[in-house]
Amino acid sequence: MQYWLMKSEPDEVSIDDALAAPQQTVAWTGVRNYQARNFMRDAMRIGDGVLFYHSSCAEPGIAGLAEVASTPYPDPTQFDPASKYHDPKAKPEAPRWLLVDVRAVQKSPMIPLALLRTHAELAEMLILQKGSRLSITPVTPAQWNFITGHLMK
DNA sequence: GCCAACGTTGGC
DNA sequence: GCCAACGTTGGC
């Protein structure tokens, strides 16, 4: 069992959108960074815990809890010329981009980025490092426990 | 809208 | 393989 933080722009898919989706599950489309892709392809397992993070919005921060809900499979948007995530170099017989399904578990009290920064226990979180912009990052059990057990109370 | 930081591309 | 140019991310 591992833990992750996954960024989503709430204008595209918010925690509320995910909770309202069938099975409360959304396909994590649009990742176009190899490191983030590799986490989904190689490291994630069904049932892994996910911190659902809102980025590029008025109040960036952790907005809910979710879990990995599928094994990896090709991101269909890479083959869709109408999608902004279209990748002309991807072919169905050789997909470049894989994703997993994510099931929203619950909305949480909003935990703003600025608040995360105030806790020494979270100083090592990858998302808090200078220049970090990876959209999917691993979270340690200690960080997970601190956030879910302390900040979400 | 600004801009720092980072990733990717492509010429050489 | 180097690296400059360019595009993107994402907080502020």
Side-chain angles (χ1 to χ4, degrees):
Chain A
M1 170 88 165
Q2 295 189 85
Y3 301 103
W4 307 94
L5 182 145
M6 299 177 77
K7 295 180 187 173
S8 181
E9 299 187 15
D11 287 351
E12 292 204 11
V13 182
S14 69
I15 184 71
D16 289 323
D17 295 334
L19 284 166
Q23 330 299 333
Q24 300 180 200
T25 297
V26 292
W28 208 261
T29 56
V31 170
R32 295 294 180 267
N33 169 284
Y34 290 108
Q35 241 185 305
R37 179 204 66 181
N38 292 349
F39 284 136
M40 293 196 284
R41 186 189 65 184
D42 305 331
M44 285 188 177
R45 298 293 179 266
I46 291 174
D48 279 0
V50 173
L51 300 171
F52 196 112
Y53 182 94
H54 285 176
S55 69
S56 294
C57 56
E59 190 177 39
I62 296 167
L65 294 177
E67 63 186 18
V68 175
S70 79
T71 52
Y73 62 96
D75 180 343
T77 64
Q78 70 192 302
F79 308 125
D80 177 2
S83 169
K84 72 173 188 173
Y85 298 120
H86 179 235
D87 182 347
K89 294 180 185 166
K91 298 284 177 290
E93 63 274 17
R96 296 178 117 193
W97 305 109
L98 302 188
L99 52 66
V100 297
D101 290 340
V102 173
R103 172 163 34 243
V105 173
Q106 64 181 72
K107 197 168 177 171
S108 73
M110 183 68 191
I111 306 175
L113 177 61
L115 181 66
L116 295 174
R117 291 195 187 284
T118 66
H119 291 283
E121 293 89 339
L122 302 178
E124 305 300 317
M125 278 190 84
L126 293 176
I127 197 160
L128 301 183
Q129 306 312 305
K130 181 179 171 69
S132 160
R133 23 169 243 193
L134 249 193
S135 65
I136 299 176
T137 47
V139 172
T140 68
Q143 291 161 355
W144 174 274
N145 289 335
F146 184 79
I147 290 167
T148 62
H150 184 65
L151 298 187
M152 288 186 180
K153 291 291 180 259

